């Protein structure tokens, strides 16, 4: 069986997988990181979004073997070791940007990448377009957009430190 | 998913050797179509040949052309200052494919090898008169697209890059499916060294095609008004629950006008 060596949330891991093993299966079933969710399994809902080498991707639409040598960040890797939440997580809590919470890990990971790649700042409309790959069936998106908008200055201030 | 063998060759020659002589082997680019297809068990390859380590990514812009490596993803093309300057319509098209996560993985070579009838890139390749380079040869856009999911590529032939002549004016407009956002009708218009060319994706049963009547009208007068009175037969249009063939034929005219307006 192929062997995959990768870094997940800063920790090195070497895992035996099948060719057909998906990245999300590696994360959830081999490494026990069940914060990354599987919603639609058809690349549409975005519940499985993680960062691969700093870019958001759908972990249900990438083979584990394709991630060999990559650095992965999942929702478990966002908060600090002492439990301090990432500004995006904090703003999701502050603005009540979740109800059932199923889409939230993917939403937060997509939002972190979106804001990080747009240091010039995003309008509400741009944030809504940036979430085209993430579905939420509870909130109607309004509070998610508010949370992301509010996280922008916090993330950019942190990046400038 | 059925299981399959997996190989990630580090040279084009090795990749071609792995694909040649095995009809059941599949090349893997960004995987944004192939992996969903495998998950649905619509395909059972003997092995998957990953093209990611062949050095096929990158963008080169000269005075008269933009050349994009086959494994360059959509996000890179959309964000490229060079592409935005040389062919802004091409950067905008890349930035409108799928969603951010799909654009971070999906590649131009994968899109063109698959030739999905609703894919965006084929319209740019056909309207700009691009040249597709493979490990074997160069293929003109007019010879490349041969029907839905069908191309001039032979078994064991791998796209290495795509070269676009820089047009004087160009624009791409798509009428998105309201839920999935793929092109129900997408029109790429261009005028430049290859003359006036109009390519339509999403609408035709045979995949991307040139709208020759619109080209003739725009050659006489490059203006939205030139499209008035230019019709297209619904006979070869797609028809599904989202749009009937006559509706798509109507949309071709509307979207062509919008694209000419956008091109200026």
């Amino acid at each position: 069986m192929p062997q995959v060596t990768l870094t997940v949330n800063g920790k090195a891991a070497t895992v035996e997988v099948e060719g057909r093993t998906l990245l999300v299966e590696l994360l959830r079933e081999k490494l026990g990181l069940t914060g990354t969710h599987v919603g639609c399994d058809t690349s549409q809902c975005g519940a499985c979004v993680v960062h691969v080498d700093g870019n958001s991707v759908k972990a249900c639409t990438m083979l584990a073997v394709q991630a060999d040598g990559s650095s992965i960040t999942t929702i478990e890797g966002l908060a600090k070791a002492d439990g301090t939440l990432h500004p995006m997580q904090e703003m999701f809590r502050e603005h009540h940007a979740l109800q059932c919470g199923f889409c939230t890990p993917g939403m937060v990971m997509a939002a972190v990448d979106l804001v990080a790649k747009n240091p010039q700042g995003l309008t509400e409309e741009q944030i809504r377009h940036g979430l085209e790959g993430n579905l939420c069936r509870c909130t109607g998106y309004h509070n998610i957009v508010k949370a992301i908008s509010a996280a922008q200055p916090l993330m950019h201030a942190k990046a400038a430190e | 998913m059925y299981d399959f063998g997996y190989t990630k060759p580090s040279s084009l020659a090795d990749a071609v050797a792995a694909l040649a002589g095995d009809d059941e082997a599949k090349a893997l680019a960004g995987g944004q179509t192939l992996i969903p297809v495998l998950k649905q068990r619509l395909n059972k390859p003997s092995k998957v040949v990953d093209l990611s380590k062949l050095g096929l990514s990158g963008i080169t812009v000269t005075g008269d052309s933009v050349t994009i490596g086959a494994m360059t993803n959509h996000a890179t093309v959309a964000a490229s200052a060079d592409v935005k300057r040389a062919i802004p319509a091409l950067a905008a098209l890349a930035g409108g494919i799928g969603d951010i996560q799909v654009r971070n993985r999906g590649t131009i070579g994968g899109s063109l090898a698959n030739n999905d009838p609703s894919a965006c890139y084929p319209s740019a390749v056909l309207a700009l008169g691009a040249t597709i380079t493979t490990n074997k040869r160069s293929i003109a856009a007019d010879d490349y697209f041969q029907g839905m999911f069908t191309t001039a590529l032979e078994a064991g032939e791998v796209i290495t890059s795509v070269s676009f002549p820089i047009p004087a004016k160009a624009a791409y407009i798509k009428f998105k499916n309201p839920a999935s956002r793929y092109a129900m009708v997408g029109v790429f218009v261009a005028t430049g060294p290859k003359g006036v060319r109009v390519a339509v994706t999403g609408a035709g049963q045979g995949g991307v095609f040139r709208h020759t009547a619109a080209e003739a009208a725009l050659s006489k007068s490059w203006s939205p008004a030139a499209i008035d009175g230019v019709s297209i037969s619904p006979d070869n249009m797609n028809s599904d629950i989202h749009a009937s063939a006559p509706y798509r034929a109507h949309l071709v005219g509307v979207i062509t006008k919008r694209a000419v307006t956008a091109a200026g």
Side-chain angles (χ1 to χ4, degrees), chain A residues 20 41 56 58 60 66 133, chain B residues 1 39 99 101 104-105:
Chain A
R20 63 178 165 181
D41 205 24
S56 61
K58 291 179 173 173
C60 83
Q66 289 180 286
Chain B
M1 222 184 314
K39 289 205 284 192
D99 54 49
Q101 290 74 36
N104 280 337
R105 296 293 302 166

Side-chain angles (χ1 to χ4, degrees), chain A:
Chain A
M1 282 208 295
Q3 219 175 42
V4 174
T5 298
L6 66 183
T7 305
V8 181
N9 300 331
K11 287 184 204 148
T14 299
V15 186
E16 278 202 347
V17 296
E18 291 182 291
R20 63 178 165 181
T21 303
L22 297 168
L23 176 59
V24 72
E25 293 169 340
L26 181 156
L27 294 170
R28 288 178 57 87
E29 294 165 23
K30 305 272 183 181
L31 301 179
L33 295 169
T34 54
T36 302
H37 291 167
V38 179
C40 66
D41 205 24
T42 56
S43 329
Q44 300 186 65
C45 81
C48 65
V49 170
V50 300
H51 298 175
V52 177
D53 296 327
N55 297 309
S56 61
V57 306
K58 291 179 173 173
C60 83
T61 311
M62 182 168 177
L63 301 173
V65 284
Q66 289 180 286
D68 188 35
S70 297
S71 178
I72 314 281
T73 305
T74 71
I75 190 71
E76 290 92 341
L78 277 192
K80 287 185 187 160
D82 68 1
T84 309
L85 294 178
H86 184 280
M88 188 63 73
Q89 294 172 305
E90 191 61 49
M91 288 302 103
F92 265 61
R93 183 165 75 174
E94 178 78 20
H95 291 271
H96 195 66
L98 60 145
Q99 288 181 29
C100 88
F102 190 87
C103 74
T104 310
M107 278 289 178
V108 169
M109 297 310 288
V112 168
D113 184 38
L114 180 66
V115 171
K117 296 255 173 70
N118 290 281
Q120 79 288 359
L122 295 160
T123 63
E124 180 193 324
E125 190 187 352
Q126 289 170 320
I127 292 171
R128 287 182 187 275
H129 278 296
L131 294 179
E132 275 170 356
N134 295 77
L135 299 180
C136 170
R137 300 291 76 169
C138 304
T139 65
Y141 302 96
H142 288 306
N143 287 356
I144 293 172
V145 174
K146 279 184 202 163
I148 296 169
S149 195
Q152 292 192 92
L154 303 176
M155 275 183 64
H156 296 322
K158 202 174 132 194
E161 273 173 16

Side-chain angles (χ1 to χ4, degrees), chain B residues 8 18 22 41 45 78 80 105 134 142 145 175:
Chain B
K8 195 187 294 190
D22 183 352
R41 294 192 167 182
S80 163
R105 296 293 302 166
T134 74
D142 284 319
F145 300 103
F175 188 91

Side-chain angles (χ1 to χ4, degrees), chain B residues 125-185:
Chain B
V125 168
L126 193 55
L128 292 170
T131 300
I132 291 164
T133 302
T134 74
N135 57 309
K136 291 181 178 171
R137 58 190 166 140
S138 292
I139 309 171
D142 284 319
D143 301 325
Y144 178 79
F145 300 103
Q146 300 190 349
M148 189 181 286
F149 298 112
T150 308
T151 70
L153 292 176
E154 296 165 358
E157 188 167 16
V158 174
I159 300 174
T160 53
S161 68
V162 186
S163 191
F164 297 88
I166 295 175
K169 292 178 178 179
Y172 175 69
I173 300 286
K174 66 174 163 176
F175 188 91
K176 297 170 184 169
N177 174 289
S180 300
R181 301 191 172 275
Y182 64 85
M184 272 167 50
V185 172

